[in-house]
Amino acid sequence: MSDASVDPEEVRHVAGLARVALDEEEVGRFAEQFADILAYFDTLDEVPEVDRERDLVNVMRPDEVHESLDQSAALANAPETEDGQFKGPRVS
Amino acid sequence: MAENVFITEETVEGEADGPLAGRTVAVKDNISTEGVRTTCGSAMLEEYVPPYDATVVERLKAAGATIVGKTNMDEFGMGSTTETSHFGPTENPVAPGRVPGGSSGGSAAAVAAGEADLALGTDTGGSIRNPAAFCGVVGIKPTYGLVSRYGLVAYANSLEQIGPLAPTVEAAAELLEVIAGVDERDATTREAEAGGDYASAADGDVEGTTVGVPTELVTGVDEGVREAFEAALDDLRDKGAETVEVSLPSVERAVAAYYVIATSEASSNLARFDGVRYGVSGGYEGNWNEAFARAREEGFGEEVKRRILLGTYALSAGYHDKYYAKAQDARAWVAQDFDAALSEADVLASPTMPVPPFERGESLDDPLQMYLADVNTVPVNLANLPAVSVPAGETDGLPVGIQFVGPAFGEREIIRVGSALA
């Protein structure tokens, strides 16, 4: 396995893309573990190119109106609601 | 409960009549149950109560089963030991001090401990077969598309299936019969060509059956596990089966391909957990992105974060072709290999797990070692094939499982062969 560690800055960057906040300890631990795991993923370089023949079929159904959850059931698990709507953080 | 089998104990009575009347079923806690909290073993969903039933739960109720609780699991199905649950680890009821396997460890333990007659688990890379092997029970991972995933909290859609755990192959087949079948709410379900009536296949008759043993799946296996496996093959030969050696050269790349695909799908699936519609809220300080990142820091455990990040990395610009595209090539290669091997044999056999049950805490510090333990089970998910794990004796008093893999929708064949042993 590779003994080079993944750059902690890289871990922070990916965590930012994934919208997961990490503490410093986790960043350090993940940087070390990812070096090993990604070195293992690198063995995929040895995979030959393979013809992917799949019998794929479209599955269609008529676009009909069905009963659905009512508003109160849909909102029941939300941490915050207002006037019958989900309440989320501001967008920017 | 000493073993920490259930996250929520709750009795839901089925309709009186049906093939499962009088039978109790434990349900893995990533399968939605109307009015009963469904946590996925996560702090993120600790308070989540689904407003609807998964299709498989509707079918259980219609079949007259009594649901007795929601079982403990690795958080969002991510783990091989049921130690990553936010609600604490489950203990293996037949091997104290050891893990029950994962991620359906609570479901396997419920059956092994007699807390339920039957159980439902989910299998993305071995999560039904692994705990079945570690707890000495039977588990079936159905062909992809045989069982509806509607109402299953998704981890890696292209790989996972819901399936049964039971004390015997026949009982597992009876439960499979109830949950299998096309569902208009899951467009990936398909009608099995030779569908239905799985229980009648459990006749133990292996006369004239050819069992292929892939050499790659028995090398590197623990000595005691190997002896138990060989004894099970002897048993099958005594009953009239023939064994042949086959080869699956692609499986050496299967675990890497599996973790690239599974983590990539997980990073996308788990993006929905932002603390707005359900789950832990990140509050309203700061902007949208900061609030989401806080909710996800608080709500997710370490293994879940690790996999979301690995998946995000594998899909990010510059790495997509190197990892994700290559993993898809490996997946096609694995499928081809299985096709070739199954043209020489009716079913394939291997040890389910290459090792006996781990001691608790043993694998947590080294995630890569834990990932590698799935080497015999993950190729089956990549190829979308059915497989059953059946008890094959013990090594040093610890359960060993043997796995039989069949062709797509060949459930009857693996049930028949498995039932010769249990």
Side-chain angles (χ1 to χ4, degrees), chain B residues 161-178:
Chain B
Q161 278 285 285
I162 298 171
L165 290 132
T168 65
V169 174
E170 186 177 14
E174 285 170 12
L175 179 52
L176 180 62
E177 213 162 291
V178 165

Side-chain angles (χ1 to χ4, degrees), chain A residues 10 14 18-19 21 26 29 33 40 42-44 46-47 50 52 59 77-80 86-87 89-90, chain B residues 48-49 253 276-279 284 288-289 293 296-297 302 305-306 309 313 322-323 326 329 336 372:
Chain A
E10 226 171 336
V14 174
R19 311 276 184 264
E26 275 176 315
R29 202 159 48 237
Q33 292 168 346
Y40 184 63
D42 284 343
T43 62
L44 289 172
E46 295 155 30
V47 171
V50 176
R52 293 178 208 155
V59 179
N77 283 285
E80 290 277 351
F86 295 112
K87 185 176 173 184
R90 61 188 166 80
Chain B
Y48 175 67
V49 179
R253 299 290 159 254
V276 173
R277 288 152 301 159
Y278 36 71
Y284 305 108
W288 183 273
N289 287 339
R296 292 155 67 77
E297 177 181 30
E302 185 158 320
K305 290 177 190 168
R306 183 157 40 233
L309 263 56
Y313 188 88
K322 181 175 169 54
Y323 294 122
K326 273 288 166 193
D329 278 336
Q336 252 178 26
L372 290 172

Side-chain angles (χ1 to χ4, degrees), chain A residues 7-19, chain B residues 309 312-313 316:
Chain A
D7 187 351
E9 204 40 57
E10 226 171 336
V11 173
R12 278 190 210 100
H13 173 66
V14 174
L17 293 175
R19 311 276 184 264
Chain B
L309 263 56
T312 304
Y313 188 88
S316 64

Side-chain angles (χ1 to χ4, degrees), chain B residues 223-285:
Chain B
E223 194 54 39
V225 170
R226 175 137 190 187
E227 282 168 19
F229 172 69
E230 295 291 348
L233 291 183
D234 284 341
D235 194 356
L236 291 177
R237 282 188 285 257
D238 288 346
K239 291 179 169 137
E242 183 199 348
T243 57
V244 294
E245 267 191 27
V246 295
S247 182
L248 296 171
S250 65
V251 297
E252 287 185 21
R253 299 290 159 254
V255 173
Y258 167 78
Y259 277 97
V260 169
I261 293 169
T263 59
S264 294
E265 293 186 16
S267 73
S268 167
N269 272 320
L270 272 61
R272 76 190 63 181
F273 298 101
D274 55 21
V276 173
R277 288 152 301 159
Y278 36 71
V280 173
S281 169
Y284 305 108
E285 307 293 318

Side-chain angles (χ1 to χ4, degrees), chain A residues 8-66:
Chain A
E9 204 40 57
E10 226 171 336
V11 173
R12 278 190 210 100
H13 173 66
V14 174
L17 293 175
R19 311 276 184 264
V20 178
L22 298 178
D23 61 37
E24 277 313 294
E25 220 179 281
E26 275 176 315
V27 170
R29 202 159 48 237
F30 284 170
E32 270 178 47
Q33 292 168 346
F34 286 5
D36 274 357
I37 295 169
L38 293 173
Y40 184 63
F41 286 179
D42 284 343
T43 62
L44 289 172
D45 286 342
E46 295 155 30
V47 171
E49 223 171 280
V50 176
D51 241 0
R52 293 178 208 155
E53 275 181 44
R54 287 270 175 88
D55 305 328
L56 299 177
V57 279
N58 281 324
V59 179
M60 313 291 270
R61 60 164 177 78
D63 187 17
E64 288 166 352
V65 177
H66 286 275

